[in-house]
């Protein structure tokens, strides 16, 4: 075997003046050299060791870590869903809480309760189902998106028929199913309001 390696080296050296076929022959000969084959076997064994499946203990530990991360993600998603998303930070209320607020405003007044309940559905939708209560004001979402809450007080009242909410009042938004009310809450927040509630059930739940 050692003589074979010498012949290959000498052949490569003697043909150093010729580039091309002789170089390829030398390279091919070296490729079949026993020592190179031994190195190839070592590299192959090393690769097999690198991809060896984990032991039962390490696999269970890995699986447990994945499970814990999934639980953490699920918990975060639930929190985001309840509060309307992590960036929004607007509390959502259920039908029971909405009933208490409406009863409070109805039995006292907007000024005493400090609540302004606003239905952001369209006029045709409200005409079809009726208002949640007489104390609920109507301000369709497109008007809020166009900047209604940034209007002057007199202009707002003349346009929508009720006093513009003060910044220190609590706005309670409702719609059909809790989607537009979320959007209205975000727009109100951008307009400078800080006390905002979102009735997530909407008229679908209220009239069911």
């Amino acid at each position: 075997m050692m003589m074979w390696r010498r012949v290959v080296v000498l052949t490569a050296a003697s043909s150093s003046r010729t580039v091309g076929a002789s170089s390829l022959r030398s390279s091919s000969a070296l490729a079949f050299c026993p020592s190179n084959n031994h190195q190839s076997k070592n590299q192959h064994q090393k690769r097999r060791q690198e991809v060896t499946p984990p032991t039962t203990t390490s696999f269970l530990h890995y699986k447990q870590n994945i499970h814990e991360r999934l639980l953490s993600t699920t918990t975060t998603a639930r929190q985001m869903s309840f509060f309307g998303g992590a960036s929004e930070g607007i509390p959502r209320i259920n039908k029971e809480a909405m009933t208490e607020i409406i009863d409070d405003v109805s039995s006292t007044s907007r000024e005493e309760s400090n609540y302004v309940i606003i239905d952001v559905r369209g006029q045709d939708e409200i005409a079809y189902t009726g208002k949640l209560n007489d104390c609920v004001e109507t301000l369709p979402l497109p008007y809020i998106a166009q900047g209604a809450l940034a209007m002057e007080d007199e202009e707002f009242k003349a346009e929508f028929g009720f006093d513009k909410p003060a910044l220190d009042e609590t706005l309670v938004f409702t719609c059909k199913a809790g989607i537009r009310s979320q959007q209205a809450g975000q727009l109100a927040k951008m307009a400078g309001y800080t006390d905002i509630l979102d009735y997530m059930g909407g008229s679908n739940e209220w009239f069911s």
Side-chain angles (χ1 to χ4, degrees), residues 6-206:
R6 285 183 180 179
V7 170
V8 170
V9 173
L10 289 173
T11 302
S14 61
S15 59
S16 59
R17 295 180 182 180
T18 305
V19 179
S22 60
S23 298
L24 292 175
R25 285 196 299 271
S26 298
S27 300
S28 300
L30 287 172
F32 289 95
C33 177
S35 61
N36 286 347
N37 286 342
H38 180 68
Q39 293 177 358
S40 177
K41 289 181 179 179
N42 290 339
Q43 292 175 355
H44 181 65
Q45 291 177 353
K46 184 177 180 182
R47 285 196 296 268
R48 290 185 62 186
Q49 292 175 356
E50 291 175 351
V51 297
T52 300
T55 62
T56 302
T57 304
S58 62
F59 176 77
L60 290 176
H61 181 68
Y62 171 79
K63 187 175 180 181
Q64 183 178 3
N65 289 340
I66 293 296
H67 181 65
E68 290 174 353
R69 287 196 306 182
L70 286 174
L71 287 177
S72 175
T73 303
T74 303
T75 303
T76 303
R78 287 175 181 172
Q79 291 174 348
M80 290 176 64
S81 175
F82 180 79
F83 290 103
S87 61
E88 285 85 351
I90 297 176
R92 310 194 76 187
I93 61 175
N94 57 21
K95 186 175 182 178
E96 182 180 0
M98 186 64 164
T99 301
E100 291 181 3
I101 292 173
I102 288 179
D103 289 345
D104 188 11
V105 178
S106 298
S107 61
T108 58
S109 65
R110 167 178 162 177
E111 290 72 24
E112 292 184 35
S113 66
N114 206 45
Y115 287 116
V116 183
I117 308 172
I118 300 176
D119 194 332
V120 300
R121 293 181 294 162
Q123 295 284 1
D124 55 340
E125 295 177 90
I126 297 175
Y128 180 76
T129 62
K131 300 177 66 172
L132 274 65
N133 189 276
D134 289 337
C135 68
V136 178
E137 307 292 355
T138 300
L139 181 58
L141 180 63
Y143 292 103
I144 300 177
Q146 293 170 9
L149 295 176
M151 295 170 62
E152 295 294 333
D153 294 351
E154 296 78 8
E155 184 182 1
F156 182 94
K157 186 171 183 178
E159 182 71 24
F160 303 110
F162 65 99
D163 291 332
K164 178 186 172 183
L167 292 176
D168 60 351
E169 288 184 301
T170 299
L171 303 185
V172 184
F173 288 107
T174 180
C175 61
K176 181 179 180 180
I179 298 176
R180 283 174 287 178
S181 56
Q182 275 189 315
Q183 298 171 351
Q186 285 306 301
L187 292 169
K189 188 176 181 180
M190 293 171 61
Y193 294 88
T194 56
D195 295 326
I196 306 168
L197 296 174
D198 170 26
Y199 173 36
M200 57 185 174
S203 61
N204 281 353
E205 180 185 56
W206 188 263

